[in-house]
Amino acid sequence: MARRRMIYEGKAKILYEGPEPGTIVQYFKDDATAFNAEKKDVIEGKGVLNNRLSEHFMTGLNSVGVPTHFIKRLNMREQLVKACEIIPLEVVVRNIAAGSMSKRLGIAEGTPLPRPIVEFYYKDDSLGDPLVSEDQIVAFQWANPQDLDEMVTMALRVNDFMSGLMFGVGIKLVDFKIEIGRLFEGDFQRLVLADEISPDSCRLWDMETGQKLDKDIFRHDLGNLADAYTEVATRLGVMPKKSSGTTGPTLVK
Ligand code: UDP
């Protein structure tokens, strides 16, 4: 079999040239990184879980009319997506104060926000992905005002959908990050949701206990990351329920 061409290796995924022009294969690795890759580890099974979870979210979003790059899952670790040009911005939506917002503004982690807040970060590891204003984005031509409007609308639609989905399984969607790409179709281009949506890029808290079910477990050494992601996947019905143990047949009296 011909060796396929690697396009890019990131922190959590590898991109390969897809089978048709305009397609890409996304391979989900088990590597976990945090704090701009200062902390690194391999979490067995994380890639498989994120591949399945991202498929679940992208498929759902597609079905409610949010355009995405997702085509289909190929196997345990790979999915086929449409090739697009990633806009160099991380779009973050927050419902509850946490992480960098709590630190920057001194708002206690867990404080509900008066309305969802959309923020943009410029994707540049050497700068530590700085927060940028809409004026900076337009001035430096990372996106034009029309793109920005569309990105905010898309981010809020993703927030509504994901919040509802998580609420249904007893999980609060605290915040998340998405990436958006330009898809070129002939003379036209449209914006689509790209990259992945998984517990690597969301904050998810159990509604009853407040237990963290996301990458903060890895960032702050709070327990087993793969177990938490499995819990999310199981609640969403993406992974089969854990068996109740191998106790064998019980004697009926
Ligand atoms: N996030 C991400 N990748 C990044 C930065 C942030 O996926 O490079 C996600 C993060 O998991 C959280 C949200 O975006 O769900 C907001 O992150 P925050 O700005 O609070 O930064 P952090 O505290 O993660 O450094």
Side-chain angles (χ1 to χ4, degrees):
M1 204 171 88
R3 207 178 158 77
R4 56 186 175 175
R5 199 172 73 85
M6 189 174 93
I7 300 172
Y8 174 78
E9 176 156 10
K11 283 173 263 185
K13 292 191 294 293
I14 305 175
L15 304 183
Y16 295 100
E17 221 165 51
E20 311 282 340
T23 63
I24 284 179
V25 174
Q26 284 197 150
Y27 175 96
F28 287 73
K29 300 194 284 185
D30 280 344
D31 298 13
T33 62
F35 310 120
N36 209 2
E38 273 168 39
K39 184 176 164 99
K40 283 186 206 166
D41 206 350
V42 174
I43 313 283
E44 208 178 311
K46 180 175 83 80
V48 174
L49 286 154
N50 281 352
N51 187 25
R52 292 295 293 265
L53 282 163
S54 198
E55 172 195 21
H56 184 68
F57 301 138
M58 292 279 182
T59 311
L61 283 160
N62 254 329
S63 76
V64 298
V66 176
T68 78
H69 72 158
F70 183 81
I71 303 173
K72 64 175 179 181
R73 186 168 59 82
L74 297 171
N75 54 48
M76 297 274 278
R77 285 186 183 272
E78 294 178 329
Q79 51 182 245
L80 189 67
V81 302
K82 293 175 197 156
C84 55
E85 184 187 295
I86 298 287
I87 294 175
L89 297 168
E90 300 199 330
V91 187
V92 168
V93 183
R94 301 176 187 275
N95 299 304
I96 297 172
S100 69
M101 171 182 257
S102 289
K103 222 176 281 164
R104 200 178 324 109
L105 303 180
I107 305 174
E109 189 152 296
T111 309
L113 299 170
R115 51 170 231 184
I117 294 175
V118 181
E119 296 172 344
F120 296 95
Y121 294 82
Y122 179 52
K123 265 167 70 78
D124 185 326
D125 283 341
S126 66
L127 299 174
D129 297 344
L131 179 69
V132 288
S133 70
E134 297 198 10
D135 246 10
Q136 289 170 334
I137 293 170
V138 174
F140 297 128
Q141 298 186 351
W142 296 319
N144 65 33
Q146 194 193 329
D147 293 336
L148 269 176
D149 276 356
E150 218 177 301
M151 289 167 80
V152 170
T153 305
M154 196 188 288
L156 292 173
R157 288 198 69 195
V158 173
N159 187 43
D160 284 347
F161 177 83
M162 291 291 294
S163 294
L165 202 67
M166 292 299 173
F167 181 84
V169 295
I171 295 173
K172 273 197 259 190
L173 179 64
V174 174
D175 57 30
F176 64 91
K177 183 262 306 183
I178 54 171
E179 294 188 22
I180 293 172
R182 298 178 196 283
L183 190 64
F184 296 96
E185 285 165 343
D187 289 342
F188 296 95
Q189 64 133 35
R190 59 192 180 112
L191 300 188
V192 295
L193 182 63
D195 191 46
E196 68 175 281
I197 305 188
S198 74
D200 267 5
S201 48
C202 300
R203 282 198 171 89
L204 304 170
W205 294 353
D206 181 83
M207 230 135 66
E208 301 230 308
T209 63
Q211 190 198 346
K212 294 186 199 304
L213 298 167
D214 56 64
K215 209 168 92 176
D216 272 350
I217 295 173
F218 171 71
R219 290 189 186 101
H220 308 297
D221 298 316
L222 300 175
N224 186 306
L225 191 72
D227 282 355
Y229 287 18
T230 303
E231 171 70 22
V232 175
T234 308
R235 287 200 203 180
L236 289 166
V238 171
M239 287 290 197
K241 287 215 169 18
K242 282 176 225 138
S243 76
S244 51
T246 47
T247 52
T250 45
L251 187 66
V252 180
K253 289 183 189 158

